[in-house]
Amino acid sequence: MSLKHRDEKVIWHPFTQHQTISESKGIVKGQGVYLFDESGKSYLDMISSWWVNIHGHCQPTIAAAIYQQALTLEHVIFSGFTHEPAVKLGEELLKILPSNMEKVFYSDNGSTAVEVALKMVYQYWKNQGVARNKFIAFDQGYHGDTFGAMAVGKQSHYFNAYEDLLFNVNFFPYPETWESDNNIEEKERLVLNEIENYLIQFGNETAGIIIEPLIQGASGMRMCRPQFLQALEKLSKSYGVLTIYDEVMTGFGRTGELFSCLSANTQPDIICLAKGLTGGFLPLAATVCSDNIYQAFLGETFSKALAHGHSFTANPLGCAAALASLTLLKSNETQEKIRMIINFNRGKMKVLNATAGIEKIRSCGTVLAFNLKATSTYGSAFSLNLRNRFAERGLLIRPLGNVIYFLPPYCITQQELEWAFKVVIEELEGIKIC
Ligand SMILES: *Cc1c(COP(=O)(O)O)cnc(C)c1O
């Protein structure tokens, strides 16, 4: 029996309505930017397998690093114990993050990295006897699917079923922008005014702000300007509010620099990392914070400590993969590829501008996105149909509602990018969108 049929009998997939999506493609092999299914068909992975894979599939030096580590130390409890890969990875991350980042807390995935950040912010104030318990987040933001992450991501509307169980969060519009948007300064001013008015009233009760910096991923690659993040930083600092950057998607080169806080030249108090951290090999995440946050958790009793930890915290295999991935990421070869993708994106913005049926063309670093004028929601028949058409042509692209985006592994070639772009336009023409 084929993999997809055996799968159907026993598996429940993530973010999937099983009544309308009846089968999953059985993937048997990955190599570089390509995935191969059980019938031998290949797919060019233009979304880095849900944004995690930054160097291509089965990248040999990462694979070798994991193998070597597995022969040395596969895992050890991380409370009361430590190990070389975790310490080394902490050191390496702190070298490339903003200088105010001083402590690394490990977990397993983006949602838990966010969960940890929210708990850090909440307890930071509580430990000092300060009554600040309000959170600010942004409309349509997505921060993962555990309860705290769902609460701050409630306006993504993926989680309406759980609404009654989510803690209260104050949401503000995310000033999204695109090519030839001549209204952006006004949009930013309105949002900043709204936030300031809120802070004038509730600033001394507000614990923290969480934002996806420069790009809101799951809501459809909505992009904001660095200027907005700089103004937001000024505002939050003046009210003593802590800022969390959810860089789970934007980290590790997506916005051009290694992190979007570097692209935006801002210094958040906490940064959440996951997805690209291990190059897409293993689930590992980090919540990195400034020293004053860490200091607020010191005390004579456990009650002031951060009550969080997972069985697989700082898994050595994950840390070894991350170290190998970071070395690759910082190499001249990868940095050149990133510049090539950025230039490709800039060039295609002009082409897209002249194409009918699409709007809000935008790019930030290695991410290129645009909206189809046709309306569509997440998982709708329209976007599923498009997804299937792309797959037929050998392209892994998952439209987010009416948004088409490219988020490729950095090992992709310019020829492959050109081919993917051509196929996308042809398929959109095929259904009379363009
Ligand atoms: C994917 C994502 C998360 C959640 O990460 P998981 O590893 O899927 O739990 C959180 N925040 C952002 C910005 C993301 O893109």
PDB file of all heavy atoms in Angstrom, residues 51 109-111 142-144 212 246 248-249 275, ligand 1:
ATOM      1  N   TRP A  51       9.356  27.084   6.380  1.00  0.00           N
ATOM      2  CA  TRP A  51      10.252  28.153   6.814  1.00  0.00           C
ATOM      3  C   TRP A  51      11.388  27.698   7.704  1.00  0.00           C
ATOM      4  O   TRP A  51      12.059  28.519   8.329  1.00  0.00           O
ATOM      5  CB  TRP A  51       9.466  29.292   7.521  1.00  0.00           C
ATOM      6  CG  TRP A  51       8.148  29.611   6.897  1.00  0.00           C
ATOM      7  CD1 TRP A  51       7.731  29.247   5.632  1.00  0.00           C
ATOM      8  CD2 TRP A  51       7.051  30.318   7.463  1.00  0.00           C
ATOM      9  NE1 TRP A  51       6.455  29.702   5.408  1.00  0.00           N
ATOM     10  CE2 TRP A  51       6.008  30.357   6.511  1.00  0.00           C
ATOM     11  CE3 TRP A  51       6.862  30.944   8.703  1.00  0.00           C
ATOM     12  CZ2 TRP A  51       4.790  30.985   6.745  1.00  0.00           C
ATOM     13  CZ3 TRP A  51       5.648  31.572   8.940  1.00  0.00           C
ATOM     14  CH2 TRP A  51       4.622  31.584   7.972  1.00  0.00           C
ATOM     15  N   ASN A 109      10.595  24.472  20.209  1.00  0.00           N
ATOM     16  CA  ASN A 109       9.884  24.949  19.009  1.00  0.00           C
ATOM     17  C   ASN A 109       9.493  26.405  19.198  1.00  0.00           C
ATOM     18  O   ASN A 109       9.639  26.967  20.289  1.00  0.00           O
ATOM     19  CB  ASN A 109       8.643  24.079  18.744  1.00  0.00           C
ATOM     20  CG  ASN A 109       7.682  24.111  19.903  1.00  0.00           C
ATOM     21  OD1 ASN A 109       7.010  25.104  20.123  1.00  0.00           O
ATOM     22  ND2 ASN A 109       7.618  23.047  20.670  1.00  0.00           N
ATOM     23  N   GLY A 110       9.003  27.022  18.132  1.00  0.00           N
ATOM     24  CA  GLY A 110       8.697  28.448  18.178  1.00  0.00           C
ATOM     25  C   GLY A 110       7.643  28.803  19.213  1.00  0.00           C
ATOM     26  O   GLY A 110       7.759  29.811  19.914  1.00  0.00           O
ATOM     27  N   SER A 111       6.610  27.981  19.311  1.00  0.00           N
ATOM     28  CA  SER A 111       5.541  28.272  20.273  1.00  0.00           C
ATOM     29  C   SER A 111       6.088  28.303  21.697  1.00  0.00           C
ATOM     30  O   SER A 111       5.745  29.194  22.482  1.00  0.00           O
ATOM     31  CB  SER A 111       4.439  27.213  20.189  1.00  0.00           C
ATOM     32  OG  SER A 111       3.990  27.067  18.870  1.00  0.00           O
ATOM     33  N   TYR A 142       1.011  36.117  14.415  1.00  0.00           N
ATOM     34  CA  TYR A 142       0.971  34.687  14.728  1.00  0.00           C
ATOM     35  C   TYR A 142       2.210  34.342  15.538  1.00  0.00           C
ATOM     36  O   TYR A 142       3.334  34.661  15.138  1.00  0.00           O
ATOM     37  CB  TYR A 142       0.958  33.846  13.435  1.00  0.00           C
ATOM     38  CG  TYR A 142       0.981  32.361  13.709  1.00  0.00           C
ATOM     39  CD1 TYR A 142      -0.198  31.675  13.977  1.00  0.00           C
ATOM     40  CD2 TYR A 142       2.184  31.651  13.741  1.00  0.00           C
ATOM     41  CE1 TYR A 142      -0.179  30.310  14.258  1.00  0.00           C
ATOM     42  CE2 TYR A 142       2.210  30.294  14.027  1.00  0.00           C
ATOM     43  CZ  TYR A 142       1.032  29.635  14.286  1.00  0.00           C
ATOM     44  OH  TYR A 142       1.055  28.291  14.564  1.00  0.00           O
ATOM     45  N   HIS A 143       2.000  33.697  16.685  1.00  0.00           N
ATOM     46  CA  HIS A 143       3.139  33.401  17.555  1.00  0.00           C
ATOM     47  C   HIS A 143       3.203  31.943  17.982  1.00  0.00           C
ATOM     48  O   HIS A 143       3.940  31.604  18.904  1.00  0.00           O
ATOM     49  CB  HIS A 143       3.095  34.314  18.782  1.00  0.00           C
ATOM     50  CG  HIS A 143       3.151  35.777  18.432  1.00  0.00           C
ATOM     51  ND1 HIS A 143       4.302  36.389  17.991  1.00  0.00           N
ATOM     52  CD2 HIS A 143       2.180  36.743  18.401  1.00  0.00           C
ATOM     53  CE1 HIS A 143       4.053  37.677  17.729  1.00  0.00           C
ATOM     54  NE2 HIS A 143       2.771  37.914  17.961  1.00  0.00           N
ATOM     55  N   GLY A 144       2.413  31.092  17.344  1.00  0.00           N
ATOM     56  CA  GLY A 144       2.422  29.679  17.701  1.00  0.00           C
ATOM     57  C   GLY A 144       1.078  29.254  18.258  1.00  0.00           C
ATOM     58  O   GLY A 144       0.138  30.051  18.331  1.00  0.00           O
ATOM     59  N   GLU A 212       6.089  40.462  15.574  1.00  0.00           N
ATOM     60  CA  GLU A 212       6.911  39.816  14.550  1.00  0.00           C
ATOM     61  C   GLU A 212       7.596  40.968  13.802  1.00  0.00           C
ATOM     62  O   GLU A 212       6.956  41.673  13.027  1.00  0.00           O
ATOM     63  CB  GLU A 212       6.047  39.021  13.567  1.00  0.00           C
ATOM     64  CG  GLU A 212       5.393  37.770  14.133  1.00  0.00           C
ATOM     65  CD  GLU A 212       4.302  37.249  13.205  1.00  0.00           C
ATOM     66  OE1 GLU A 212       4.625  36.478  12.296  1.00  0.00           O
ATOM     67  OE2 GLU A 212       3.119  37.626  13.388  1.00  0.00           O
ATOM     68  N   ASP A 246       9.503  38.317  18.207  1.00  0.00           N
ATOM     69  CA  ASP A 246       9.295  36.943  17.784  1.00  0.00           C
ATOM     70  C   ASP A 246       9.975  36.795  16.426  1.00  0.00           C
ATOM     71  O   ASP A 246       9.388  37.075  15.389  1.00  0.00           O
ATOM     72  CB  ASP A 246       7.793  36.633  17.709  1.00  0.00           C
ATOM     73  CG  ASP A 246       7.544  35.216  17.221  1.00  0.00           C
ATOM     74  OD1 ASP A 246       8.508  34.544  16.821  1.00  0.00           O
ATOM     75  OD2 ASP A 246       6.371  34.797  17.236  1.00  0.00           O
ATOM     76  N   VAL A 248      11.027  33.988  15.211  1.00  0.00           N
ATOM     77  CA  VAL A 248      10.979  32.563  14.872  1.00  0.00           C
ATOM     78  C   VAL A 248      11.069  32.367  13.360  1.00  0.00           C
ATOM     79  O   VAL A 248      11.784  31.489  12.884  1.00  0.00           O
ATOM     80  CB  VAL A 248       9.706  31.920  15.465  1.00  0.00           C
ATOM     81  CG1 VAL A 248       9.496  30.509  14.915  1.00  0.00           C
ATOM     82  CG2 VAL A 248       9.812  31.873  16.990  1.00  0.00           C
ATOM     83  N   MET A 249      10.373  33.206  12.585  1.00  0.00           N
ATOM     84  CA  MET A 249      10.477  33.099  11.129  1.00  0.00           C
ATOM     85  C   MET A 249      11.542  34.042  10.570  1.00  0.00           C
ATOM     86  O   MET A 249      12.271  33.689   9.648  1.00  0.00           O
ATOM     87  CB  MET A 249       9.113  33.398  10.491  1.00  0.00           C
ATOM     88  CG  MET A 249       9.076  33.137   8.990  1.00  0.00           C
ATOM     89  SD  MET A 249       9.781  34.452   7.990  1.00  0.00           S
ATOM     90  CE  MET A 249       8.428  35.620   8.000  1.00  0.00           C
ATOM     91  N   LYS A 275      12.548  27.845  14.155  1.00  0.00           N
ATOM     92  CA  LYS A 275      12.572  27.486  12.729  1.00  0.00           C
ATOM     93  C   LYS A 275      13.957  27.264  12.098  1.00  0.00           C
ATOM     94  O   LYS A 275      14.394  26.145  12.009  1.00  0.00           O
ATOM     95  CB  LYS A 275      11.753  28.493  11.939  1.00  0.00           C
ATOM     96  CG  LYS A 275      10.276  28.386  12.321  1.00  0.00           C
ATOM     97  CD  LYS A 275       9.330  28.871  11.267  1.00  0.00           C
ATOM     98  CE  LYS A 275       7.928  28.387  11.568  1.00  0.00           C
ATOM     99  NZ  LYS A 275       7.017  29.428  12.020  1.00  0.00           N
TER     100      LYS A 275
HETATM  101  C1  LIG B   1       5.994  29.322  13.145  1.00  0.00           C
HETATM  102  C2  LIG B   1       6.004  30.452  14.080  1.00  0.00           C
HETATM  103  C3  LIG B   1       5.837  30.249  15.462  1.00  0.00           C
HETATM  104  C4  LIG B   1       5.569  28.888  16.034  1.00  0.00           C
HETATM  105  O1  LIG B   1       6.648  28.025  15.878  1.00  0.00           O
HETATM  106  P1  LIG B   1       6.411  26.447  15.956  1.00  0.00           P
HETATM  107  O2  LIG B   1       7.794  25.879  15.858  1.00  0.00           O
HETATM  108  O3  LIG B   1       5.541  26.104  14.802  1.00  0.00           O
HETATM  109  O4  LIG B   1       5.761  26.177  17.264  1.00  0.00           O
HETATM  110  C5  LIG B   1       5.911  31.345  16.282  1.00  0.00           C
HETATM  111  N1  LIG B   1       6.113  32.573  15.797  1.00  0.00           N
HETATM  112  C6  LIG B   1       6.280  32.803  14.487  1.00  0.00           C
HETATM  113  C7  LIG B   1       6.545  34.195  14.013  1.00  0.00           C
HETATM  114  C8  LIG B   1       6.228  31.761  13.583  1.00  0.00           C
HETATM  115  O5  LIG B   1       6.365  32.000  12.270  1.00  0.00           O
END
